């Protein structure tokens, strides 16, 4: 017997459990292994335009669209039978008049003396369904676009390398006097041309790395490395920049026994990027200090600068590709905003992480963590 | 590339047990893996050598062995079954196939009849999509398309979360296990291809010329393989026996294991008796 909304409303008070079951804000149904409904609540009956009592004895399949019946038989029933439960299943109910209703279903199986029963809670997701579909569509579009971008980046960076090689090659020929006498001023210009093309080449390498990392993971060669040694090597490489920028680089002593498990090339790449960035974003007369620490079985390398800091809303974004904190120092060179994105990817690939703490006006501390390695390794 | 027997056994996560000598190989259907047989195999362990496996792409099979071209049609799955039979050097095996695997078994028996002595076909269908006016498969093409979309919606949640984690953590097999636990199948792309290969196939012509005798187990009220389809199978498969089950639904080996076991036993006993008389 169906009840009017008014009757339902009056019963909605402190009724017995049976009434709460009937009026629960989701469809509730118990079925046997063969799919025959043992009990269904009024909410489910109303949802599917059925009369409550009529549902008992019917197959659960009669409440589903044909595709959802196949899904029930091939996925839901085996899953619940084998594992005792299934959560957040997307299915489509069908009302008596044939209207499809998207629902989410949770199912739990109970072993009873009279045989097993499966309890299903069924929640209508009419609105959620729409934006979920849109999200899936948008996600697919983004994935396709990202794959296209990666392909484009890797092709472009390859193609740009050839003319770049020609530029520095010919500049070198002229510099060495192969084409005739060269003045001091011309040599200075040629050195600038070569430096600029090296910097371009570095950017292309970064682009290629990003494109590749998105395509496939490159194999890592993990080995025990001394932090002290690696930092000293990186320092030697970046020192000329620091001299140019009139920024002081202070390497605090790390224990020579402190070893991390990392890929040497990748670690150097991260360190060089952190140190170069710090030089770039620290004003003349500033200081960059590098220190290390061990927490649990992780080693941490801190690179702290006295630059202008990163606004809170940019803290996570700086690790996204092609994102840069705006610098008002027009005189300094700029990259493409790939270094930190690559650095974090690489650090995570090696089982570590790259993070930042910063406050505007008080500088930034970038922290690279990596798993420590046994000294005997 | 030639695979050794060990390669195949590892690839398809083949499990062999039981105290008998006559081989009985169980082929799981679409949407699940070899676990679905666990209510049936105990009844046959004493008398048979039981062989369980997962098709590549399902359960604990080697996902890296998945080749979209090979598994674009059921032929790839037939290759799996036959390669396992060769790896274990099976002859005169009884093959028990559920749903799509019934057809896989039929195709395998046509290719290498000596490998099989009997086919037990649970809920078989040679074609799921209607082909009016002469054939009723039970479904319209649009139903299959909507099934694919329903699968995608269900797989996408864990595929987004778990699949990338597994790729990044090969040393943590429990993640893959969690995935297998939740869906019996580990990759939405693979599941979707398997669904296409299954539900869009037309193997009606392949029923002709099968020389291995077969038992067709037809469930009552089976939406996926309705009665007409069981009868069609029976009419077109030489030397087939059709048994209508009390069991409803599409997975009697899981919902009604006792009846399933009884019918398989009766069939094998009758067959043995008739073979003995010959």
């Amino acid at each position: 017997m169906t009840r009017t909304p008014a009757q339902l409303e009056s019963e909605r008070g402190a009724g017995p459990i049976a009434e709460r079951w009937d009026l629960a804000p989701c469809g509730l149904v118990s079925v046997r292994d063969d799919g025959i409904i043992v009990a269904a609540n009024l909410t489910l009956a109303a949802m599917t335009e059925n009369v409550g009592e009529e549902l008992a004895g019917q197959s659960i399949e009669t409440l589903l669209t044909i595709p959802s019946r196949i899904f029930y038989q091939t996925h839901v029933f085996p899953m619940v039978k084998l594992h005792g439960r299934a959560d957040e299943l997307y299915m489509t109910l069908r009302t008596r008049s044939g209207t499809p209703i998207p629902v989410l279903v949770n199912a739990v199986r109970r072993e009873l003396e009279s045989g097993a029963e499966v309890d299903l809670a069924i929640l209508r997701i009419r609105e959620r369904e729409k934006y979920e579909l849109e999200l899936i569509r948008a996600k697919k579009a983004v994935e396709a676009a990202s794959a296209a971008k990666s392909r484009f980046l890797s092709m472009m960076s390859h193609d740009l390398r050839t003319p770049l090689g020609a530029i520095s090659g010919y500049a070198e020929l002229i510099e060495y006097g192969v084409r005739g006498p060269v003045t001091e001023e011309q040599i200075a210009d040629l050195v600038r041309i070569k430096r600029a093309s090296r910097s371009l080449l570095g950017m292309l390498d970064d682009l290629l790395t990003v494109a590749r990392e998105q395509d496939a993971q490159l194999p890592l060669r993990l080995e025990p490395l001394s932090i002290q040694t690696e930092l000293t090597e990186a320092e030697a490489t970046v020192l000329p920049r620091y001299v140019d920028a009139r920024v002081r680089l202070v390497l605090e002593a790390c224990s020579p026994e402190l070893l991390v498990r990392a890929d040497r090339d990748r670690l150097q790449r991260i360190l060089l990027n952190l140190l170069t960035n710090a030089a770039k974003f620290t004003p003349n007369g500033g200081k960059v200090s590098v220190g290390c620490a061990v927490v649990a079985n992780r080693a941490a390398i801190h690179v702290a600068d006295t630059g202008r800091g990163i606004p809170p809303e940019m803290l996570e974004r700086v690790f996204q590709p092609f994102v840069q904190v705006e610098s008002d120092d027009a005189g300094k060179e700029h990259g493409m905003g790939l270094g930190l994105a690559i650095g974090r990817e690489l650090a995570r690939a090696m089982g570590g992480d790259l993070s930042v703490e910063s406050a505007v006006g008080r500088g930034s501390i970038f922290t690279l963590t990596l798993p420590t390695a046994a000294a005997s390794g | 590339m030639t695979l050794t027997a060990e390669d195949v056994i590892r690839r398809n996560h083949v499990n062999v047990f039981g105290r008998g000598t006559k081989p009985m190989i169980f082929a799981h259907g679409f949407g699940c893996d070899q676990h679905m047989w666990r209510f049936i195999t105990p009844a046959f362990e004493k008398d048979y050598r039981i062989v369980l496996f997962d098709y590549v792409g399902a359960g604990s099979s080697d996902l890296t062995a998945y080749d979209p071209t090979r598994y674009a049609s059921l032929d790839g799955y037939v290759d799996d079954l036959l390669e396992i039979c060769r790896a274990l050097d099976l002859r005169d095996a009884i093959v028990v196939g559920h749903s799509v695997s019934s057809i896989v078994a039929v195709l395998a028996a046509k290719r290498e009849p000596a490998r099989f002595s009997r086919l037990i076909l649970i809920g078989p269908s040679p074609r799921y999509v209607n082909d009016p006016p002469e054939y009723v498969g039970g479904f319209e093409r649009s139903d299959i398309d909507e099934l694919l979309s329903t699968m995608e919606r269900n797989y996408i949640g864990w595929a987004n979360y778990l699949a990338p984690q597994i790729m990044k953590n090969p040393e943590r097999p429990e993640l893959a296990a969690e995935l297998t636990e939740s869906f019996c199948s580990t990759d939405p792309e693979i599941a979707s291809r398997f669904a296409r290969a299954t539900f869009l196939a037309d193997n009606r012509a392949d029923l002709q010329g099968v020389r291995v005798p077969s038992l067709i187990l037809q469930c009552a009220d089976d939406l996926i393989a309705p009665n007409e389809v069981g009868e069609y199978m029976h009419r077109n498969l030489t030397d087939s026996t059709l048994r209508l089950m009390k069991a409803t639904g599409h997975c009697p080996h899981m919902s009604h294991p006792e009846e399933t076991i009884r019918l398989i036993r009766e069939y094998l006993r009758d067959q043995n008796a008739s073979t003995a008389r010959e």
Side-chain angles (χ1 to χ4, degrees):
Chain A
M1 186 194 85
T2 38
R3 283 170 274 191
T4 65
Q7 281 171 313
L8 293 180
E9 199 53 46
S10 74
E11 289 166 7
R12 205 166 287 240
I17 298 290
E19 277 177 17
R20 302 230 176 150
W21 148 276
D22 254 345
L23 302 174
C26 66
L28 293 172
V29 59
S30 299
V31 299
R32 297 197 316 240
D33 272 356
D34 58 8
I36 298 300
I37 296 175
V38 181
N41 74 347
L42 282 179
T43 311
L44 182 67
M47 212 191 282
T48 54
E49 300 168 3
N50 279 289
V51 177
E53 287 76 1
E54 286 176 2
L55 287 179
Q58 284 191 41
S59 167
I60 178 85
E61 291 190 357
T62 57
L63 301 181
L64 300 171
T65 60
I66 289 176
S68 282
R69 288 182 202 177
I70 306 179
F71 187 72
Y72 183 84
Q73 286 292 346
T74 54
H75 286 76
V76 184
F77 170 64
M79 218 186 304
V80 176
K81 172 92 182 179
L82 291 174
H83 307 300
R85 64 180 301 128
D87 294 320
E88 293 186 48
L89 299 167
Y90 168 83
M91 294 213 272
T92 313
L93 295 187
R94 200 189 56 161
T95 68
R96 267 166 91 100
S97 57
T99 313
I101 306 172
V103 292
L104 267 190
V105 179
N106 277 7
V108 180
R109 192 165 192 273
R110 288 179 298 135
E111 294 287 351
L112 302 171
E113 273 182 29
S114 53
E117 281 181 17
V118 179
D119 296 332
L120 301 116
I122 301 172
L123 215 55
R124 187 199 285 247
I125 49 164
R126 205 165 23 192
E127 292 310 312
R128 197 164 272 265
E129 144 98 358
K130 286 183 202 137
Y131 76 70
E132 207 179 281
L133 276 178
E134 270 171 37
L135 280 178
I136 292 175
R137 244 177 252 131
K139 178 178 175 289
K140 283 185 177 164
V142 168
E143 280 168 357
S146 169
K149 190 185 75 185
S150 293
R151 275 197 304 280
F152 170 74
L153 283 180
S154 99
M155 245 161 53
M156 186 191 73
S157 36
H158 261 298
D159 291 353
L160 290 182
R161 275 169 158 272
T162 318
L164 202 54
I167 290 171
S168 41
Y170 283 110
E172 221 152 67
L173 285 182
I174 297 169
E175 187 191 346
Y176 293 148
V178 176
R179 303 297 188 216
V182 201
T183 67
E184 284 297 311
E185 276 175 321
Q186 284 170 334
I187 286 187
D189 287 350
L190 289 168
V191 168
R192 286 185 197 109
I193 290 175
K194 276 165 54 187
R195 193 186 299 147
S197 31
R198 256 204 310 279
S199 146
L200 250 180
L201 199 62
M203 292 188 208
L204 286 181
D205 281 343
D206 281 355
L207 266 180
L208 206 55
T209 309
V210 165
R212 271 203 210 115
E213 296 285 328
Q214 287 176 355
D215 283 352
Q217 303 272 343
L218 290 178
L220 295 168
R221 276 206 320 275
L222 298 179
E223 54 182 329
L225 300 170
S226 150
I227 290 189
Q228 181 67 31
T229 313
E230 297 305 315
L231 280 174
T232 314
E233 191 179 322
E235 180 195 27
T237 313
V238 296
L239 212 52
R241 270 174 191 274
Y242 276 77
V243 175
D244 282 353
R246 289 198 297 282
V247 174
R248 205 147 54 87
L249 178 59
V250 182
L251 220 60
E252 289 159 17
C254 287
S255 157
E257 276 99 67
L258 182 50
L259 302 183
V260 288
R261 248 182 92 66
D263 177 301
R264 185 187 299 266
D265 291 346
R266 266 60 177 261
L267 176 56
Q268 276 300 320
R269 190 174 191 131
I270 302 172
L271 293 176
L272 289 178
N273 174 258
L274 290 180
L275 294 175
T276 317
N277 265 355
K280 210 185 291 178
F281 289 98
T282 305
N284 294 355
K287 183 177 100 170
V288 172
S289 38
V290 182
C292 50
V294 183
V295 181
N297 50 359
R298 290 251 179 292
I301 300 169
H302 305 286
V303 177
D305 62 50
T306 56
R308 56 196 204 111
I310 303 168
E313 71 276 10
M314 287 296 289
L315 275 182
E316 270 308 303
R317 289 199 61 214
V318 294
F319 293 105
Q320 290 169 13
F322 305 106
V323 172
Q324 282 208 320
V325 179
E326 289 299 317
S327 161
D328 43 22
D329 188 348
K332 299 223 172 185
E333 58 175 296
H334 290 275
M336 286 178 297
L338 291 176
L340 289 173
I342 294 173
R344 177 173 269 189
E345 274 295 312
L346 291 177
R348 289 183 175 174
M350 295 188 287
D353 203 358
L354 181 59
S355 58
V356 65
E357 287 168 66
S358 184
V360 174
R362 279 193 285 165
S364 312
I365 304 174
F366 282 87
T367 302
L368 168 68
T369 56
L370 287 170
T372 50
S376 58
Chain B
M1 191 183 66
T2 334
L3 293 172
T4 65
E6 288 74 28
D7 290 339
V8 173
I9 286 166
R10 195 175 331 108
R11 183 191 66 185
N12 288 95
H13 193 59
V14 176
N15 278 304
V16 183
F17 55 95
R19 296 186 290 281
T21 50
K22 192 164 178 59
M24 195 167 186
I25 180 165
F26 291 81
H28 68 82
F30 159 74
C32 210
D33 62 19
Q34 58 181 276
H35 285 108
M36 62 166 18
W37 296 113
R38 75 169 190 231
F39 308 100
I40 299 293
T41 50
F44 296 95
E45 270 181 58
K46 189 164 71 67
D47 301 318
Y48 293 90
R49 182 178 174 219
I50 311 275
V51 180
L52 295 180
F53 70 95
D54 297 332
Y55 288 114
V56 170
S60 306
S61 66
D62 177 6
L63 289 188
T64 61
Y66 187 82
D67 170 0
T69 322
R70 171 176 161 125
Y71 298 102
S73 78
L74 294 185
D75 284 334
Y77 296 92
V78 177
D79 288 338
D80 272 20
L81 177 58
L82 287 174
E83 282 165 9
I84 294 162
C85 290
R86 275 178 230 136
L88 298 174
D89 197 23
L90 302 186
R91 302 259 149 204
D92 294 330
I94 297 160
V95 53
V96 184
H98 173 234
S99 197
V100 63
S101 273
S102 326
I103 300 304
V104 171
V106 165
L107 295 172
K110 276 190 86 165
R111 271 208 243 155
E112 297 188 25
R115 300 253 172 230
F116 308 103
S117 61
R118 297 287 179 271
L119 310 178
I120 314 274
L121 314 176
I122 304 177
S125 171
R127 178 182 161 118
Y128 294 92
V129 177
N130 299 330
D131 186 13
E134 70 271 16
Y135 181 81
V136 179
F139 299 99
E140 295 302 329
R141 173 66 207 242
S142 58
D143 294 329
I144 305 305
D145 290 337
E146 206 188 307
L147 167 71
L148 292 172
S149 130
T150 299
M151 283 171 51
E152 179 179 55
R153 298 282 293 276
N154 279 295
Y155 280 77
I156 207 154
W158 60 256
N160 282 340
Y161 169 65
L162 278 171
Q165 303 245 14
I166 288 169
M167 302 300 280
K168 281 184 184 162
N169 299 288
E171 74 286 0
R172 291 184 58 198
E174 76 274 11
L175 285 176
E178 189 179 333
L179 209 73
T180 315
E181 287 273 309
S182 54
F183 263 112
C184 293
S185 171
T186 37
D187 182 291
E189 271 302 309
I190 293 176
S192 158
R193 270 180 230 275
F194 194 10
R196 267 174 237 275
T198 300
F199 289 106
L200 300 178
D202 185 353
N203 295 101
R204 287 174 296 175
D206 297 304
L207 302 181
Q208 305 304 323
V210 178
R211 303 210 301 273
V212 183
S214 55
L215 166 67
I216 298 162
L217 291 180
Q218 173 66 49
C219 286
D221 295 327
D222 183 354
L223 159 101
I224 297 181
N227 280 346
E228 298 94 305
V229 170
E231 281 156 18
Y232 182 96
M233 288 286 301
H234 179 46
R235 273 202 309 279
N236 287 278
L237 265 183
T238 314
D239 209 357
S240 64
T241 305
L242 175 67
R243 293 296 300 266
L244 297 177
M245 300 184 73
K246 288 198 190 68
T248 52
H250 187 59
C251 305
H253 53 306
M254 299 179 85
S255 62
H256 300 75
E258 300 83 6
E259 187 188 8
T260 310
I261 291 166
R262 182 171 56 76
L263 292 177
I264 295 177
R265 275 211 178 116
E266 282 175 15
Y267 173 72
L268 294 176
R269 197 183 52 219
D270 294 350
Q271 291 283 311
N272 285 340
S274 64
T275 313
R277 277 199 301 276
E278 275 164 16

